[in-house]
Amino acid sequence: MAAQRMIPEDFQTVHKIGEGSFSKVYLKTHSLDGQQYAVKVLKRQHDNDGDEAAKRIIAATNREVRILVMCSHPSIIQFYASMQTADDRMYVTEYCAGGDLASFMRLRRVIPIAAARYITGDISHCPVTIVDSTLR
């Protein structure tokens, strides 16, 4: 889907996946391709705030997007698009139905050694992918 332009009006909200201090993440279905995506929504009110906290929020969000754009690895979610409306900034990423690694670990509390080896091996390749992407 990355080749096609994404606009907010083409998405239908399925439900809220999660919420942080500054954003909410929704599971949304794209009306043109029928695929489900995770869409992070940040209120644009922070854009105009002159305080340091607002500047840090914007800088952190921009840094997150730059890192995701650089990465192409099966263990890192794929970034597809950024969009905005008068009120919101939105970032469209791959939806991982199984959740994230932290949720996996919290749920299981004890991870079998085979799974821990697999996860550790997979994670160890991620920094190489990031560094390699920045050198291109």
Side-chain angles (χ1 to χ4, degrees):
M1 178 62 204
Q4 191 169 11
R5 185 173 175 182
M6 293 182 166
I7 59 173
E9 294 78 21
D10 289 339
F11 288 89
Q12 298 297 319
T13 301
V14 177
H15 62 82
K16 182 166 61 170
I17 298 172
E19 187 172 347
S21 300
F22 309 107
S23 65
K24 296 177 182 176
V25 180
Y26 296 92
L27 174 62
K28 295 190 177 229
T29 301
H30 194 262
S31 61
L32 299 179
D33 68 5
Q35 294 292 314
Q36 291 187 320
Y37 297 92
V39 180
K40 180 183 263 189
V41 179
L42 293 92
K43 292 292 179 197
R44 291 193 68 189
Q45 69 190 31
H46 300 299
D47 291 358
N48 298 325
D49 291 348
D51 64 25
E52 288 302 313
K55 289 178 185 175
R56 283 195 304 274
I57 293 166
I58 293 167
T61 303
N62 290 338
R63 184 172 43 254
E64 178 182 6
V65 169
R66 280 194 312 272
I67 290 169
L68 288 175
V69 167
M70 286 189 304
C71 296
S72 177
H73 190 279
S75 296
I76 300 175
I77 61 167
Q78 179 68 47
F79 176 84
Y80 291 109
S82 61
M83 310 176 292
Q84 54 187 348
T85 64
D87 298 324
D88 301 316
R89 289 174 164 232
M90 291 166 269
Y91 303 101
V92 182
T93 64
E94 172 183 14
Y95 171 63
C96 300
D100 62 6
L101 179 58
S103 299
F104 174 83
M105 292 173 69
R106 267 194 309 276
L107 182 66
R108 283 156 184 82
R109 295 188 188 244
V110 176
I111 299 173
I113 192 72
R117 285 184 181 135
Y118 178 80
I119 291 167
T120 304
D122 224 21
I123 289 172
S124 68
H125 289 95
C126 292
V128 173
T129 301
I130 294 171
V131 170
D132 187 44
S133 296
T134 60
L135 297 176
R136 289 184 199 158

